[in-house]
Amino acid sequence: QVQLVESGGGLVQPGGSLRLSCVGSGRIFSTYIMGWYRQAPGKPRELVATIRSAGDTDYGDSVQGRFTISRDNAANTVNLQMNSLKPEDTAVYYCNFQHPSWLNIQYWGQGTQVTVSS
């Protein structure tokens, strides 16, 4: 059984920074695509960023240039550095590990709240 545990959420002022981390435990393969998604109240879950095992990254349009995703395969960890935060970044952020070929094999964390407000 795979478990993902996020940390690092909280309250930050507009223009500030936060760093989210997600650690996986269990049967995890280094080939998994690791990523972050978010869901704001009343909105569907959306892509924030993903990173493949070789380091290829993909970002949602709204975070491009402000957020940076990274991973440590040996530690089963994926991080999200969030800079220049905006109120519209407020959401619950979810960590995701997904098999690169079998899309039905994916795991989610419990979510961590990020609130950007003055």
Side-chain angles (χ1 to χ4, degrees), residues 3-111:
Q3 290 188 322
L4 306 181
V5 178
E6 301 108 333
S7 62
L11 173 65
V12 64
Q13 293 187 342
S17 299
L18 278 177
R19 182 177 177 86
L20 304 182
S21 293
C22 173
V23 179
S25 61
R27 189 175 175 82
I28 295 171
F29 298 100
S30 61
T31 54
Y32 279 0
I33 301 170
M34 297 181 180
W36 290 93
Y37 294 75
R38 68 185 182 187
Q39 187 166 20
K43 295 186 177 181
R45 191 170 296 189
E46 65 174 359
L47 167 72
V48 177
T50 60
I51 183 167
R52 292 182 175 269
S53 59
D56 299 341
T57 58
D58 186 27
Y59 292 93
D61 289 342
S62 62
V63 306
Q64 183 78 42
R66 299 187 297 122
F67 291 10
T68 302
I69 190 170
S70 61
R71 65 188 283 167
D72 182 339
N73 290 332
N76 293 330
T77 298
V78 60
N79 302 304
L80 185 69
Q81 178 65 42
M82 305 185 294
N83 298 329
S84 302
L85 283 160
K86 305 175 181 180
E88 50 264 43
D89 294 317
T90 296
V92 178
Y93 284 69
Y94 296 92
C95 174
N96 174 269
F97 284 14
Q98 179 174 298
H99 192 285
S101 299
W102 300 328
L103 300 184
N104 61 318
I105 299 178
Q106 61 176 313
Y107 306 95
W108 293 92
Q110 81 286 353

